[in-house]
Amino acid sequence: MTEPDSVETSTSSPANPTPTQPSIYIHPRREPFEHGLVPIPKLIFTDAFQTLAAHKVKLISLANESNHRVNSAAIAETLQISPENARLVIEIIASVLHSESDPLVNAKPSEIESVGVDVYDLILFLYIQSYKRLLPRGHRDSPAVTDVWPSTSAFDGFLSALSPLQLVRSNSRKFMPSQADEEAHQLSYLQKHLGNLVSLLSDSTEGEGDDSLVLKMENFEHLGFLIFFGEKGSENVPLCQNAPFFANSDPDMPAVPVPAPQVHDWLLENISSALEHIAERVSTKENGPTSSSDPDVPMADVSPISAKSTTFTRGPSFIEGISKSSCLKRESDLQGSSVKVVNCHESVIYILAPLRYATLYGCSDTTIVLGAVGKAVRVEHCERVHVITAARRICIANCRECVFFLGINQQPLIVGDNHKLQVAPYNTYYSQLEDHLNQVGVDTTLNRWAEPLALGIVDPHDSLSHPVGVSDVQTESASPVDPDLFTSFLIPNWFDGESSGSTKDNPFPLPDAYVKSQQKNHENLGELKNALKETQLEDSKKRELSTALHASFKDWLYASGNIRQLYCQQND
């Protein structure tokens, strides 16, 4: 291979099949790019192809011969990383795997080492650690955003030259890239590196060069980690069923390996076709009638409806631009099982539903309740936000003065430029919570809220330039909320609507210190009530005392931010 970033493949291979026609387009899987990148410097290679080709050989030699799976010890030895980081790699891969039938997806924490990760999924995961995210785009309505965007912080001078948060919070009012822009960016990355990816999944036959590489059907299926055909929510058809060279293979007979150049050329044509279609759709929208809504193109919108498909569940549901208000979303209100909460300010947002993925981006002075998240939560560029969630895992990036009330099965991952973060045990419930937790596979007996794992202060996956040496600096971690300041969060029972569940209390056991603190607060409250009842005061003094209590309570409501929740509940 002469070019590590773009392996040229021969076009003189056997007759190249034409791209899938006419109605199904290829798409990137968003999950690995949005939830599968981790800022560990030793996982980012200058020469990814050559390095991973050597690593693949070693990993296969260390793998279980029957299934090509490796545990964290083999990963740590091969990549020269700590056992803790090797375990983290396996956990992240488990959260973004494409195949729900993979044993790693539903493995319990005690089973992860014995199950291990497939070598080829690991190689693809490691390769895309070189991916660079799109920079946030400029918002077309900057003056309207100024009123609700977070005010300048005392931290703004710190690492301002390299912090993505500074970019988001600058006067240019940068916002998330559109769905169409992100998809095109991911497809372009795959287009550039497709030759390398196909070669890493291939086996050598007699001979030299690319013409000696062949791809087995089972290895071809691993590309499903990065791409799929059709639309999100459509029937889960194996990737090989869309490939003409594997589509009609006899299930009782091993499929004949296909020359790697043939696979490469067929995928390349499909990617080119999809990129052209995205450009056409975006151009049509931009040149069409103006609309007050954001001109983003959801991922599913950039491909036509397949003649063989039924009703599709489109891409992630968006909750965007909520300001000084409340928002309630139940399962029936969402499209699909992923949600993105974007640019919401001074609000209370309840998402009481079972989810696979959730992303919170660019929010401030807001309380966000996420029901149950079975795969991963990502919180990015948020300031003075309270997040209450029960989830498998969470990643916090470039946030400030936020508090996270967590029922979490894996260590909270903290990356980027963070300041004054706090973590606390989960503090709420609603009637269907345990049903939702069981549905997505979150374990209430395992809560690692108090074990945050802080990685690098620089995100190597953004597109910014960073000063030399800063990538080795560890980010600021999160501190636990003082038990005496811990309070439960009340979700009104009328939010359950007509549907009701069996949950009557917080399903995550509280640590002893927090239980004792709550008991102490209840006892103090009871003593105060009794003291007030027994106090003999003149009517004028009672009025003064009542006025003082109301004023103090009002001050606490505003200082804590709970005034917004109280106001919204009264309206509802």
Side-chain angles (χ1 to χ4, degrees):
M1 301 295 174
T2 57
E3 295 289 339
D5 286 340
S6 180
V7 174
E8 298 295 331
T9 56
S10 171
T11 57
S12 60
S13 55
N16 295 320
T18 57
T20 303
Q21 295 290 341
S23 61
I24 301 179
Y25 288 94
I26 198 170
H27 298 277
R29 284 188 70 244
R30 305 179 67 83
E31 294 83 359
F33 296 104
E34 294 183 358
H35 297 278
L37 304 179
V38 56
I40 297 177
K42 287 189 176 181
L43 301 188
I44 302 171
F45 311 108
T46 304
D47 186 346
F49 176 75
Q50 297 293 345
T51 303
L52 289 174
H55 285 341
K56 183 182 80 169
V57 174
K58 182 169 184 178
L59 287 166
I60 289 177
S61 70
L62 297 173
N64 186 315
E65 293 183 4
S66 64
N67 56 22
H68 284 169
R69 304 185 79 89
V70 290
N71 58 17
S72 62
I75 295 173
E77 178 183 339
T78 303
L79 302 180
Q80 295 297 294
I81 59 176
S82 68
E84 293 77 15
N85 283 349
R87 170 76 177 218
L88 176 63
V89 165
I90 297 179
E91 291 176 343
I92 293 176
I93 293 175
S95 72
V96 296
L97 273 174
H98 57 298
S99 174
E100 289 297 313
S101 62
D102 191 292
L104 183 60
V105 171
N106 297 311
K108 297 178 181 179
S110 60
E111 300 170 341
I112 286 180
E113 291 300 329
S114 59
V115 171
V117 63
D118 188 283
V119 168
Y120 293 101
D121 290 331
L122 173 61
I123 291 297
L124 294 180
F125 168 83
L126 293 172
Y127 193 99
I128 65 167
Q129 298 307 308
S130 65
Y131 176 76
K132 298 283 188 181
R133 296 188 184 95
L134 270 180
L135 286 174
R137 61 183 172 86
H139 198 277
R140 63 180 180 180
D141 192 18
S142 297
V145 181
T146 304
D147 178 55
V148 297
W149 198 254
S151 59
T152 302
S153 167
F155 297 113
D156 279 354
F158 184 72
L159 291 177
S160 59
L162 57 92
S163 171
L165 184 57
Q166 297 300 319
L167 197 66
V168 173
R169 298 176 64 251
S170 66
N171 290 330
S172 59
R173 307 299 175 194
K174 300 289 185 177
F175 283 74
M176 285 185 81
S178 72
Q179 294 285 283
D181 287 345
E182 283 191 334
E183 180 168 5
H185 185 63
Q186 291 161 5
L187 277 176
S188 296
Y189 172 85
L190 294 174
Q191 183 183 48
K192 177 181 179 181
H193 297 274
L194 185 61
N196 287 342
L197 295 168
V198 170
S199 295
L200 287 169
L201 296 177
S202 300
D203 296 314
S204 296
T205 59
E206 294 183 4
E208 296 182 359
D210 294 339
D211 290 336
S212 68
L213 296 177
V214 295
L215 195 62
K216 298 175 183 176
M217 186 172 71
E218 56 267 30
N219 286 9
F220 176 77
E221 279 292 345
H222 286 286
L223 285 172
F225 183 77
L226 300 174
I227 57 175
F228 70 97
F229 283 88
E231 297 190 22
K232 278 290 184 186
S234 62
E235 185 179 354
N236 186 17
V237 179
L239 189 62
C240 63
Q241 294 303 310
N242 289 287
F245 32 78
F246 289 129
N248 298 316
S249 299
D250 185 343
D252 297 325
M253 295 288 291
V256 176
V258 177
Q262 182 180 351
V263 177
H264 173 268
D265 292 346
W266 178 77
L267 287 171
L268 202 59
E269 289 184 49
N270 274 278
I271 291 175
S272 297
S273 177
L275 285 170
E276 291 173 4
H277 190 71
I278 292 172
E280 290 171 2
R281 288 298 298 268
V282 171
S283 176
T284 300
K285 280 183 173 286
E286 289 178 346
N287 296 327
T290 58
S291 169
S292 59
S293 62
D294 195 293
D296 287 358
V297 181
M299 178 166 61
D301 279 357
V302 298
S303 66
I305 297 176
S306 168
K308 297 185 293 183
S309 65
T310 55
T311 302
F312 290 127
T313 302
R314 295 178 181 268
S317 295
F318 276 80
I319 300 172
E320 186 167 12
I322 304 296
S323 175
K324 301 178 181 178
S325 183
S326 64
C327 177
L328 168 64
K329 295 292 183 181
R330 301 185 184 91
E331 185 175 5
S332 59
D333 301 318
L334 303 174
Q335 298 177 349
S337 55
S338 297
V339 67
K340 291 189 175 183
V341 181
V342 182
N343 300 327
C344 295
H345 311 281
E346 296 183 64
S347 299
V348 181
I349 298 171
Y350 305 86
I351 306 173
L352 309 183
L355 302 167
R356 286 166 58 83
Y357 298 95
T359 299
L360 314 180
Y361 186 98
C363 299
S364 69
D365 302 290
T366 294
T367 296
I368 302 171
V369 183
L370 296 173
V373 187
K375 295 292 187 180
V377 177
R378 183 175 178 87
V379 185
E380 189 170 7
H381 299 316
C382 290
E383 186 166 295
R384 300 184 301 277
V385 166
H386 286 196
V387 178
I388 305 172
T389 185
R392 185 80 61 88
R393 63 180 296 263
I394 186 170
C395 179
I396 302 162
N398 306 308
C399 293
R400 304 182 181 200
E401 302 171 45
C402 295
V403 185
F404 300 87
F405 298 88
L406 303 175
I408 202 82
N409 291 168
Q410 297 174 13
Q411 288 180 274
L413 188 61
I414 300 179
V415 302
D417 182 15
N418 300 280
H419 302 284
K420 291 191 175 181
L421 302 184
Q422 290 182 286
V423 289
Y426 193 72
N427 67 339
T428 194
Y429 71 94
Y430 58 96
S431 68
Q432 291 182 290
L433 176 58
E434 287 173 298
D435 293 336
H436 292 168
L437 292 170
N438 292 332
Q439 187 174 331
V440 301
V442 175
D443 183 0
T444 59
T445 66
L446 177 64
N447 191 356
R448 305 186 69 181
W449 68 272
E451 307 173 48
L453 176 61
L455 295 181
I457 200 168
V458 167
D459 184 355
H461 305 108
D462 63 42
S463 298
L464 303 173
S465 58
H466 304 294
V468 176
V470 179
S471 60
D472 296 327
V473 179
Q474 189 180 53
T475 188
E476 181 181 314
S477 189
S479 60
V481 168
D482 188 320
D484 290 336
L485 301 178
F486 177 82
T487 57
S488 295
F489 184 86
L490 175 65
I491 297 176
N493 55 15
W494 63 80
F495 276 12
D496 290 324
E498 297 179 358
S499 60
S500 60
S502 59
T503 304
K504 305 298 182 184
D505 201 355
N506 183 351
F508 290 90
L510 288 177
D512 289 343
Y514 291 85
V515 173
K516 291 178 181 178
S517 178
Q518 286 202 323
Q519 291 173 344
K520 178 182 176 182
N521 290 338
H522 284 302
E523 291 171 359
N524 291 342
L525 180 60
E527 292 175 0
L528 178 61
K529 286 181 178 179
N530 291 332
L532 291 174
K533 286 180 181 179
E534 296 170 359
T535 300
Q536 301 297 321
L537 295 175
E538 298 177 359
D539 288 345
S540 60
K541 293 295 184 181
K542 286 182 178 179
R543 285 193 294 270
E544 288 180 15
L545 177 59
S546 177
T547 300
L549 288 173
H550 280 288
S552 297
F553 180 62
K554 184 178 179 181
D555 290 343
W556 173 80
L557 282 176
Y558 279 97
S560 64
N562 290 324
I563 186 64
R564 172 57 56 189
Q565 187 194 21
L566 181 63
Y567 175 75
C568 295
Q569 289 178 13
Q570 286 177 330
N571 286 344
D572 292 330

